Amino acid sequence: MGVTRPRQTGEPVLLWAPLCAMPFMLNLRWDAMMAPSEEPKWAVFMLLMVVLAVAGAMAIYRQCRRAGPADAPVLSLPGLLFLLFFAGLAYGVTYAANPGEGWNRLAFWCAGGLTFWATARMARREPEFPQYLQIAITLTALVLCLHFWYGFFVDFSDPAFDKFVQFSRIGHFNFTADVLVVLIPLLAWTVLSHGGWIRGLAAGFALLTTGFMLLTSGSLGGMGGLAAGGLLAGGLALLRRWMVHGHAGWRPGRRGLLTVLAIAVIVAVAARPVYQRIPKTYRDQIFSRAEWWTKPRAQDLNQAQALPPLTPLWMAMMPYLGARTPMWASTAGMVAEHPWRGFGTGSFQVEYTGFNKRYPLFRDPETLGVRIKTNPHNI
C-alpha cells in the first residue's frame, strides 16, 4: 500500500516568500558599523510586505469563493485582537509629532504582521512547512556563521580593523543579542529534529557558532534571558510529555542526550583555545557593561528639582543597566505622562529628547545636542 501524500495548500507565494527573504533579512548590510546601514534590509522587508499582501488577499478571496456557509473564514478572538492592535497603531499616526515617521513605522509593523500571519497560516495548512522552515533557518545561519569565522581568523590580524565592529552582520558594535536569542533556540530545534544528518550537522555548527557569538557580545541580558527561556521551555516540554505518557515522559530520547553531550564536550574542549585567540581588547569587554559616566551622587539627588518616576529603582538597577539607566528613567517619565495613548506612532525620538532634558541628572550620553542615537529598542 502506498503512502498518501498530504494535500498541498496551493499557496506557494505565502509559503516561500518569507523563507526566501530570511537570509537577506539577517545578512544583508552595506557595512557592519552603525544602524543607518539597515536600509537594504528594510527594502527587502517592504517588498516582502507588498508580495504577501497581494498573495494573502488572493488566497482569502479564493477561500471565500470555494467555502460553503459552514466553512467560510471566521475571525477568531486572537485575530480580532491582532487587528485592533494595528488599528491602534494607525490611530497613533493621526496625533504623532512626525506623521511621516509614523507611517514609516506603521509600514514596518504591517510587514511584520503579514509575515507572522503568512507563517501561521502555512504552519496550519502546509504539512511540510516545519522542514522548509528548518532549511531556511540553517542556510541563513550558515551564511552568518561563515562570515563570522572568516572575520575571526582574518579581520583580527588586520591592524586597521575597527574593534567596535566585531565583524557583525546583525547589529552594530557587537552581535545583537535580540537576534541571537531567537536564532539559537530555532537552531537547537533544528538539531533535535529528525531532519537528516546533513541538516543536523549544519545546524549544530551554526548553533555552536552563534552561542560563541552571544558569549563574545558580553550581553548578560541575552545570556540570562536565553537560559531562563530554555529552562522554562524544557520544563513545559517535560510536563507535557509526562501528562501524555506518564512517567516514561521524563526519559529524554537517546538522540537528544547524545546531542547535548556532544555539544557540551565540544564547548569544553574548544572554549579555552578560542578564547585565547580573541585579542585582549575583546576579552576585556566580555561580561562587562557600558558604564554611565555621569551617574548622579546622593547629594545631587536630594537637591534636584526634577527626578524621573521610580528614581530609587533606576539607581538600584544601575549596575545592571549601565549606560542605559538614563534611557529607562526618561522613558518612565514619558509613560507616566501619557500612560494610555502614548505620544503617537513613531514619535519616540521626537519626544524623548525633551524628557531627557527635563531630568538633568539623568542625561542620556547617547543623546547629545541634535545627535540622537537612542531608539525604543534600547529600552
Side-chain angles (χ1 to χ4, degrees), residues 152-191:
F152 185 83
F153 289 108
V154 177
D155 287 344
F156 272 155
S157 60
D158 184 358
F161 179 67
D162 190 339
K163 65 179 182 179
F164 291 107
V165 175
Q166 284 193 303
F167 38 83
S168 173
R169 283 293 177 265
I170 57 176
H172 55 91
F173 296 122
N174 55 28
F175 306 99
T176 304
D178 305 18
V179 176
L180 293 177
V181 296
V182 176
L183 183 59
I184 289 175
L186 290 174
L187 288 170
W189 167 57
T190 303
V191 170

Side-chain angles (χ1 to χ4, degrees), residues 3-336:
V3 178
T4 303
R5 182 179 177 85
R7 185 174 62 87
Q8 304 297 306
T9 65
E11 300 172 358
V13 176
L14 293 180
L15 172 65
W16 291 108
L19 299 181
C20 292
M22 187 185 301
F24 299 97
M25 286 300 301
L26 192 64
N27 294 288
L28 184 62
R29 299 175 76 100
W30 294 134
D31 60 78
M33 184 56 187
M34 292 298 293
S37 62
E38 301 284 3
E39 282 83 355
K41 291 183 181 181
W42 301 143
V44 174
F45 209 27
M46 292 300 99
L47 177 61
L48 177 63
M49 177 182 69
V50 174
V51 171
L52 290 179
V54 175
M58 294 177 62
I60 294 177
Y61 173 73
R62 288 195 296 266
Q63 182 181 353
C64 292
R65 289 195 61 183
R66 292 194 304 263
D71 299 324
V74 295
L75 185 62
S76 62
L77 177 60
L80 176 61
L81 296 176
F82 194 68
L83 291 179
L84 288 176
F85 172 76
F86 282 91
L89 289 175
Y91 172 63
V93 177
T94 61
Y95 59 89
N98 184 351
E101 180 63 17
W103 286 113
N104 186 35
R105 299 281 178 169
L106 179 61
F108 291 150
W109 274 104
C110 289
L114 282 169
T115 304
F116 177 82
W117 171 80
T119 303
R121 184 180 178 90
M122 289 299 102
R124 293 194 305 266
R125 298 167 62 86
E126 174 56 66
E128 296 184 2
F129 176 77
Q131 295 189 39
Y132 299 147
L133 179 60
Q134 290 179 355
I135 293 174
I137 292 168
T138 303
L139 292 177
T140 300
L142 278 178
V143 174
L144 175 69
C145 295
L146 291 175
H147 184 274
F148 168 84
W149 289 116
Y150 175 84
F152 185 83
F153 289 108
V154 177
D155 287 344
F156 272 155
S157 60
D158 184 358
F161 179 67
D162 190 339
K163 65 179 182 179
F164 291 107
V165 175
Q166 284 193 303
F167 38 83
S168 173
R169 283 293 177 265
I170 57 176
H172 55 91
F173 296 122
N174 55 28
F175 306 99
T176 304
D178 305 18
V179 176
L180 293 177
V181 296
V182 176
L183 183 59
I184 289 175
L186 290 174
L187 288 170
W189 167 57
T190 303
V191 170
L192 296 175
S193 300
H194 300 281
W197 67 271
I198 296 179
R199 189 192 310 171
L201 185 64
F205 165 76
L207 179 61
L208 289 172
T209 303
T210 50
F212 180 67
M213 288 182 184
L214 185 61
L215 177 66
T216 307
S217 73
S219 174
L220 297 181
M223 287 182 273
L226 190 63
L231 290 175
L232 177 61
L236 292 175
L238 288 175
L239 178 61
R240 182 176 181 274
R241 290 189 63 181
W242 182 81
M243 293 176 64
V244 174
H245 303 290
H247 293 289
W250 293 98
R251 303 172 186 171
R254 180 180 301 178
R255 178 179 178 181
L257 282 176
L258 291 176
T259 302
V260 172
L261 180 61
I263 291 177
V265 171
I266 292 174
V267 170
V269 172
R272 184 176 180 83
V274 170
Y275 179 79
Q276 292 176 338
R277 176 66 176 76
I278 303 175
K280 186 176 184 302
T281 303
Y282 291 91
R283 292 203 304 267
D284 291 344
Q285 78 173 19
I286 293 179
F287 300 114
S288 65
R289 309 299 298 164
E291 293 186 0
W292 177 23
W293 59 83
T294 57
K295 50 189 176 184
R297 300 174 301 176
Q299 180 181 357
D300 298 331
L301 291 173
N302 293 331
Q303 299 176 353
Q305 296 182 354
L307 290 174
L310 306 174
T311 295
L313 174 63
W314 308 130
M315 297 300 297
M317 293 294 293
M318 190 189 309
Y320 309 100
L321 297 177
R324 295 191 176 183
T325 304
M327 303 177 191
W328 282 85
S330 298
T331 304
M334 297 175 65
V335 175

